[in-house]
Amino acid sequence: MLNAVNDVSFTVSAGEILGLVGESGSGKTVTGFSIMGLVDPPGRIAGGRILFKGRDLVGLPENEMRRLRGARIAMIFQDPMMTLNPVLRIETQMVEAVRAHADVSADEALARARNALGRVGIPSPDERLKAYPHQFSGGMRQRVAIATALINKPDLIIADEPTTALDVTIQGQILFEVQKLCCETGTALIWITHDLSVVASLADRVCVMYAGKIVEEGSVDAILDRPAHPYTHGLIGSVPSRNHKGTPLAQIPGVMPSMLDLPGGCSFRPRCARADRACETPPGVDEIGDGRRVRCVHPLVGAPA
Amino acid sequence: MTVFIVRRLIQSAIVLFAMSLIVFIGVYAIGNPVEIFLSGDADQAERERVIATLGLDRPLWEQYWLFIEGAARGDLGNSFVHNRPALQLIIERMPATMELALAAMALAIVFGIPLGMYAGFRPHSALGRGIMAGSILGFSLPTFWVGLMLIMIFAVELGWLPSTGRGQTANVFGIATSLATRDGLVHVLLPAFNLALFKLSLVIRLARAGVRENMLMDYVKFARAKGLSMRRVVFVHVLKNILIPIVTVLGLELGSVIAFSVVTETIFAWPGMGKLIIDSINHLDRPVIVAYLLVTVTLFIVINLVVDVLYSVLDPRVRLADVKG
Amino acid sequence: MATALDDRPAPATPVAVQSPFRRFVVDFVASPLAVFGFAVFMLIVFVAIAAPLISPQNPYDLMQLDILDGRVAPGGKSSAGYTFFLGSDSQGRDMLSGIFYGLRISLGVGVMSAIVAVFIGMSAGLTAAYFGGRIDALIMRIVDIQLSFPAILVALILLAVLGQGTGKIIVALVAVQWAYYARTVRGTALVERRKEYIEAASCLALGHARIVFRHLLPNCLPPLIVVGTVQVAHAIALEATLSFLGIGLPITEPSLGLLIANGFEYILSGKYWISFFPGLALLLTIVSINLVGDQLRDVLNPRLQR
């Protein structure tokens, strides 16, 4: 058995934007799918709790989970070219999202779809509703996906790298709009990304994941200014815009270990400059003030008690 | 769209021309046309009359023109056996073959898609494996032998279904069809199943592969993330995606079903075009053979054309590409 | 744990000097089903070749037949005390012997037509791929048009035009198959042609024929073998179908299809064995070839190897 994600714990409050940051393969996406209850077999949630408004989603009957999905918890995927069904009209795909949860007339559902498309900044929504996905550009498709996620006014949206596949200019627009929409509706947002600069401009709080575990958590300002975990420090150092011109870009040596072959103790140990004998036992989570938590024996700030 | 259809029409015309040339060369140049259009017991006067009508004393291209002219007028000579215009005979038999082919197609779709989808969702279950084994067998079984076995089991041993003939027919839109009466339906069941067997295996394979491929797609996960029931994801999202290749392939296979009905019609004594052609070949009734070949080839070209157009209507991606191109 | 700087000598792994053929055999036997299919097919081939030696009776020696032994059920005895294991037909002919001889004819016609079709299709495909341009366009257009019509229709057209006979049915079977070989060979040859070894051969100013047959052809063989097995099965099935319809082989060449046709009229009176057992033999032949073909496709698939 392989633990893709292990010992992950975080909270999001209404209206809050949480950035979930990590390299590819660190378990971000699996975390997102676990919350949605959409882990593909033979994968499964082996244990733990996912509390949504005080209700445990783990072990919830499929039918009740289905009623939450898309209604209270929505998800936006990474590749907008693949997420919309190529042979169904946008209209069909949005209306079914409404009618899966609310017993409303087709006209009412259509009105909501039109409204949702308007909110994500798609011009002439009536015309667009009749179109098929391939008639849209990547950015427009992602807006449709976001509109579909927003259509039932969910309490939580999980966005899995929704801007990675898009042009930089489109990325900026979409980030701005999503932030605005969450602000307006009080929707909580979990933004999964590998891009720290996105998190910096968007999130309230950040969780940094490494090898299936959260290694650091705290407010976005605190973490970006004073990272406590050496891995976070390395990540920040490797963002080009944060470095001065002319200085060589810092990078984290080595690659993330395979989940099949994790080193004992702290998983970051082989790549860490501060590692010593003490790191050979798995580090616990320490509170270091300001609501910050870090999983490290030798944190860069706030030495453990 | 119009451009597309016009382009396909021109292509079809070229193929039709090529086929008429082949049939012409086959019948007129390789064989002896006098022998072909005369029965063995014709006398000298009739022989000369035929040579004159066919214009055998003229150059070859002129003969071809006469042949085409005759074909265009619907005059392909009289059947020796039935002593009636050959073309008329074929046209009369066509509804029986068509209804058999359509019934076979319907059986292949109605049973093939659910079975194939099940095998796609549960590839490792006993039933899923059984379905696949069955489809492999369906590809290997010789159609005519299966037909005999069906007669032996269902008509002779069990006595449930009639083994031969078309049964009672009723007129629907002026065409006599046995699909409209109970007796007719009972008669069509065995031959249609026999004819469907091969296509059934094909549909099962296509549906299974389609399901397996599509279930891994992101759009399925996104649809589930919207909170759709599994039923809607499978029967709307996935089904519509797998239907496109299945309909295309089956449409193209309609022609081959009509061709293969030759076998089924002979076994079940089904009075269609296929039985007519075999009887005609055995009786050396050559005008009917020529008429059958031309009609079937035309039918094929029309089917291929219709399928292409239908495909572009079904798949929005193709439709758009054509508007741009 | 071994590290990259480990300076101990590497453990001497037995360097498997495997010829391509050996590797092919090893890959092939990995599927028990395919081995079973191969064994059955070999048995069928043996029976077909040795039919006159192992048949209990020469089914076409009228001196040995007694019309009074007609339509004996399987296991029944003839008037001479001989047991008909699979029954007898209306002429009092032993079905088992009939099937052995039938296999001989069916396999013979199928394999013969395949050999001729391979030769024609291969030549056409290689010509198209090697010369390209208009020759390629012409050959492939003919192939496309022919393949858009079902095999049985093409065979029907030819038999209707040519008339009947053993030679003519082989012509029809060849005509049905050659296009598949042509398309397959052209496809692989086009890929191979762009490779450097062909360029090198051209640079050495080798003749067209030498390049095509000594260099290009051997590399086109694996897909040809795969298509060939499937096509032999198709050819056998098609010949049986045509013979069953009475437009295939003449009654002097009683293939499996004709045996089945002979039993057709007795099916209705419950005398199943005259049609059933030849059909079973036909099915076994086709299934065994297909099993072998499936495994060959997996083993020889160039996309999996490279």
Side-chain angles (χ1 to χ4, degrees):
Chain A
M1 196 175 84
L2 171 82
N3 289 318
V5 175
N6 209 351
D7 219 354
V8 168
S9 170
F10 57 83
T11 54
V12 206
S13 339
E16 189 182 37
I17 301 182
L18 174 77
L20 199 55
V21 186
E23 285 171 271
S24 31
S26 61
K28 306 167 304 205
T29 303
V30 176
T31 307
F33 282 135
S34 300
I35 300 172
M36 295 296 288
L38 286 178
V39 179
D40 280 324
R44 65 194 176 89
I45 299 174
R49 292 189 305 165
I50 299 170
L51 292 179
F52 177 73
K53 292 182 150 184
R55 200 164 161 208
D56 191 357
L57 302 186
V58 176
L60 206 60
E62 169 58 25
N63 191 36
E64 286 179 45
M65 195 63 221
R66 183 194 69 70
R67 269 187 248 152
L68 284 177
R69 249 184 244 138
R72 310 280 34 103
I73 312 175
M75 188 156 179
I76 307 167
F77 290 54
Q78 181 170 359
D79 187 353
M81 301 314 233
M82 308 297 291
T83 49
L84 299 174
N85 190 327
V87 299
L88 297 178
R89 292 177 196 278
I90 300 299
E91 182 182 48
T92 316
Q93 302 192 46
M94 292 189 74
V95 164
E96 69 181 2
V98 176
R99 300 187 87 186
H101 302 289
D103 190 15
V104 295
S105 69
D107 284 343
E108 168 62 18
L110 201 58
R112 288 190 198 176
R114 199 179 298 128
N115 189 8
L117 283 185
R119 266 195 288 165
V120 295
I122 288 186
S124 53
D126 277 309
E127 214 174 287
R128 294 308 197 163
L129 277 171
K130 296 274 176 234
Y132 287 93
H134 61 87
Q135 291 164 295
F136 289 79
S137 68
M140 289 295 256
R141 284 193 216 190
Q142 197 59 292
R143 280 168 210 250
V144 171
I146 293 171
T148 311
L150 288 170
I151 203 163
N152 290 316
K153 302 197 170 58
D155 301 313
L156 171 64
I157 295 180
I158 301 163
D160 184 8
E161 307 213 30
T163 56
T164 313
L166 303 178
D167 288 346
V168 183
T169 48
I170 312 284
Q171 267 188 32
Q173 289 173 18
I174 290 199
L175 281 178
F176 173 74
E177 274 155 20
V178 168
Q179 199 171 22
K180 195 180 76 180
L181 290 167
C182 286
C183 246
E184 284 167 11
T185 55
T187 304
L189 179 66
I190 298 177
W191 191 281
I192 299 173
T193 182
H194 63 266
D195 189 347
L196 266 178
S197 54
V198 167
V199 167
S201 61
L202 181 76
D204 303 315
R205 277 189 318 120
V206 181
C207 287
V208 180
M209 283 192 81
Y210 186 80
K213 287 192 166 100
I214 291 184
V215 293
E216 182 166 9
E217 183 189 347
S219 75
V220 70
D221 296 334
I223 285 190
L224 289 182
D225 289 346
R226 287 168 285 114
H229 197 283
Y231 175 64
T232 318
H233 180 77
L235 270 187
I236 294 168
S238 51
V239 174
S241 60
R242 295 184 71 89
N243 289 276
H244 293 291
K245 233 180 181 173
T247 54
L249 206 53
Q251 49 179 334
I252 307 172
V255 291
M256 204 175 69
S258 154
M259 298 302 289
L260 288 166
D261 189 23
L262 281 184
C266 174
S267 305
F268 190 57
R269 187 163 58 94
R271 300 170 73 184
C272 184
R274 298 166 72 86
D276 58 20
R277 295 298 301 251
C279 300
E280 281 171 25
T281 48
V285 179
D286 296 306
E287 306 271 351
I288 53 171
D290 284 345
R292 293 183 65 178
R293 294 191 296 167
V294 64
R295 186 190 292 275
C296 183
V297 184
H298 305 297
L300 295 157
V301 285
Chain B
M1 195 72 187
T2 331
V3 180
F4 170 71
I5 293 177
V6 169
R7 203 189 305 143
R8 289 292 283 107
L9 272 176
I10 294 173
Q11 250 178 48
S12 306
I14 294 172
V15 176
L16 188 59
F17 170 74
M19 284 313 292
S20 74
L21 207 60
I22 290 171
V23 171
F24 171 79
I25 292 172
V27 174
Y28 281 66
I30 298 176
N32 180 350
V34 182
E35 296 298 317
I36 286 171
F37 283 98
L38 273 180
S39 52
D41 49 0
D43 58 12
Q44 190 59 33
E46 203 171 334
R47 182 172 290 263
E48 273 161 17
R49 194 185 61 76
V50 165
I51 292 179
T53 20
L54 295 179
L56 293 181
D57 40 355
R58 303 192 209 171
L60 209 60
W61 65 268
E62 234 175 280
Q63 287 182 38
Y64 175 67
W65 179 246
L66 279 175
F67 167 74
I68 287 294
E69 221 177 34
R73 275 202 315 273
D75 178 10
L76 292 167
N78 276 1
S79 155
F80 308 147
V81 178
H82 303 266
N83 201 20
R84 289 173 46 209
L87 202 60
Q88 198 186 329
L89 268 176
I90 304 272
I91 303 285
E92 266 171 30
R93 302 288 190 102
M94 206 186 261
T97 297
M98 285 303 189
E99 78 185 16
L100 185 61
L102 290 179
M105 281 296 193
L107 283 180
I109 292 174
V110 167
F111 290 101
I113 290 182
L115 287 174
M117 285 180 79
Y118 182 88
F121 282 116
R122 304 257 181 282
H124 303 297
S125 67
L127 187 55
R129 283 170 191 274
I131 291 170
M132 278 323 283
S135 97
I136 291 169
L137 202 62
F139 272 123
S140 299
L141 285 168
T143 311
F144 63 100
W145 186 67
V146 175
L148 294 186
M149 293 305 119
L150 286 176
I151 290 181
M152 193 180 88
I153 295 167
F154 291 101
V156 180
E157 295 297 323
L158 298 172
W160 288 353
L161 294 164
S163 64
T164 54
R166 197 178 169 202
Q168 212 176 359
T169 59
N171 276 328
V172 178
F173 303 122
I175 298 167
T177 170
S178 60
L179 296 180
T181 67
R182 196 175 172 279
D183 183 52
L185 282 175
V186 168
H187 276 84
V188 88
L189 210 56
L190 275 189
F193 178 71
N194 182 215
L195 192 54
L197 198 64
F198 198 81
K199 304 306 159 197
L200 183 68
S201 307
L202 184 68
V203 173
I204 287 176
R205 284 194 168 200
L206 289 174
R208 176 177 182 268
V211 164
R212 298 201 68 178
E213 190 185 321
N214 276 281
M215 283 307 283
L216 299 175
M217 300 277 207
D218 266 3
Y219 79 79
V220 167
K221 215 156 201 184
F222 189 65
R224 294 197 62 203
K226 286 194 289 191
L228 302 184
S229 62
M230 207 54 194
R231 206 172 49 208
R232 184 163 172 96
V233 172
V234 169
F235 291 107
V236 176
H237 285 252
V238 174
L239 185 59
K240 185 138 194 223
N241 271 283
I242 64 169
L243 267 186
I244 291 171
I246 293 179
V247 166
T248 314
V249 171
L250 271 193
L252 290 170
E253 294 286 326
L254 179 61
S256 113
V257 168
I258 291 172
F260 262 96
S261 70
V262 167
V263 181
T264 302
E265 285 178 13
T266 306
I267 297 169
F268 291 91
W270 187 266
M273 290 156 61
K275 182 155 168 43
L276 181 68
I277 179 72
I278 295 299
D279 291 346
S280 301
I281 292 178
N282 285 330
H283 293 127
L284 294 178
D285 195 350
R286 291 185 181 112
V288 180
I289 297 173
V290 171
Y292 173 85
L293 295 183
L294 283 185
V295 167
T296 317
V297 167
T298 314
L299 208 61
F300 255 82
I301 290 169
V302 171
I303 288 170
N304 286 355
L305 181 69
V306 170
V307 169
D308 273 1
V309 173
L310 207 66
Y311 178 65
S312 68
V313 172
L314 259 179
D315 192 333
R317 283 162 295 189
V318 175
R319 208 167 8 177
L320 184 85
D322 193 63
V323 172
K324 278 180 183 160
Chain C
M1 242 206 270
T3 66
L5 293 176
D6 201 337
D7 56 1
R8 280 172 303 177
T13 46
V15 183
V17 187
Q18 282 190 332
S19 67
F21 180 73
R22 206 188 138 82
R23 197 175 62 217
F24 164 77
V25 171
V26 169
D27 286 347
F28 186 86
V29 299
S31 159
L33 207 56
V35 173
F36 173 74
F38 185 73
V40 171
F41 182 65
M42 280 297 117
L43 186 71
I44 289 172
V45 170
F46 169 75
V47 164
I49 293 173
L53 302 175
I54 57 172
S55 294
Q57 182 194 58
N58 179 350
Y60 302 103
D61 178 3
L62 293 174
M63 300 297 287
Q64 293 186 23
L65 301 182
D66 186 344
I67 197 85
L68 294 176
D69 291 338
R71 302 191 288 281
V72 172
K77 292 225 187 283
S78 77
S79 48
Y82 162 76
T83 309
F84 292 126
F85 289 102
L86 301 181
S88 69
D89 72 0
S90 57
Q91 309 286 312
R93 187 175 288 139
D94 174 40
M95 283 315 296
L96 186 65
S97 310
I99 289 169
F100 285 179
Y101 275 77
L103 275 173
R104 190 179 166 86
I105 293 162
S106 288
L107 272 185
V109 170
V111 171
M112 177 87 78
S113 69
I115 290 172
V116 180
V118 164
F119 186 75
I120 295 176
M122 203 169 67
S123 313
L126 282 177
T127 311
Y130 191 76
F131 293 103
R134 289 194 171 190
I135 298 176
D136 182 31
L138 180 71
I139 293 178
M140 290 327 286
R141 185 41 59 94
I142 294 173
V143 166
D144 282 346
I145 290 177
Q146 198 199 312
L147 290 184
S148 73
F149 292 92
I152 192 161
L153 187 67
V154 175
L156 219 56
I157 292 178
L158 283 168
L159 289 174
V161 169
L162 298 177
Q164 282 162 265
T166 312
K168 282 158 188 166
I169 195 146
I170 290 180
V171 169
L173 292 178
V174 168
V176 163
Q177 293 176 75
W178 78 275
Y180 290 97
Y181 296 117
R183 190 156 75 174
T184 310
V185 169
R186 174 182 174 267
T188 18
L190 272 185
V191 175
E192 293 295 328
R193 209 176 92 92
R194 293 198 201 94
K195 294 197 177 155
E196 284 168 13
Y197 72 95
I198 296 292
E199 207 174 306
S202 305
C203 289
L204 291 173
L206 299 179
H208 284 320
R210 196 181 158 85
I211 294 176
V212 169
F213 290 106
R214 291 297 300 274
H215 296 268
L216 204 48
L217 185 59
N219 287 290
C220 298
L221 281 181
L224 196 63
I225 292 171
V226 174
V227 173
T229 23
V230 178
Q231 284 302 319
V232 167
H234 276 173
I236 291 173
L238 186 60
E239 177 274 313
T241 305
L242 293 169
S243 298
F244 172 79
L245 291 173
I247 56 172
L249 291 172
I251 29 176
T252 50
E253 302 287 340
S255 77
L256 293 175
L258 271 173
L259 294 182
I260 297 169
N262 286 339
F264 186 15
E265 53 184 305
Y266 302 106
I267 284 269
L268 292 175
S269 52
K271 297 186 173 51
Y272 66 93
W273 59 88
I274 308 177
S275 282
F276 179 76
F277 291 116
L280 210 58
L282 181 61
L283 177 64
L284 220 54
T285 310
I286 296 171
V287 170
S288 65
I289 297 178
N290 282 345
L291 286 177
V292 172
D294 272 0
Q295 181 67 3
L296 281 181
R297 189 177 51 217
D298 291 348
V299 172
L300 294 176
N301 189 343
R303 275 182 300 181
L304 294 180
Q305 269 179 4
R306 286 163 204 171

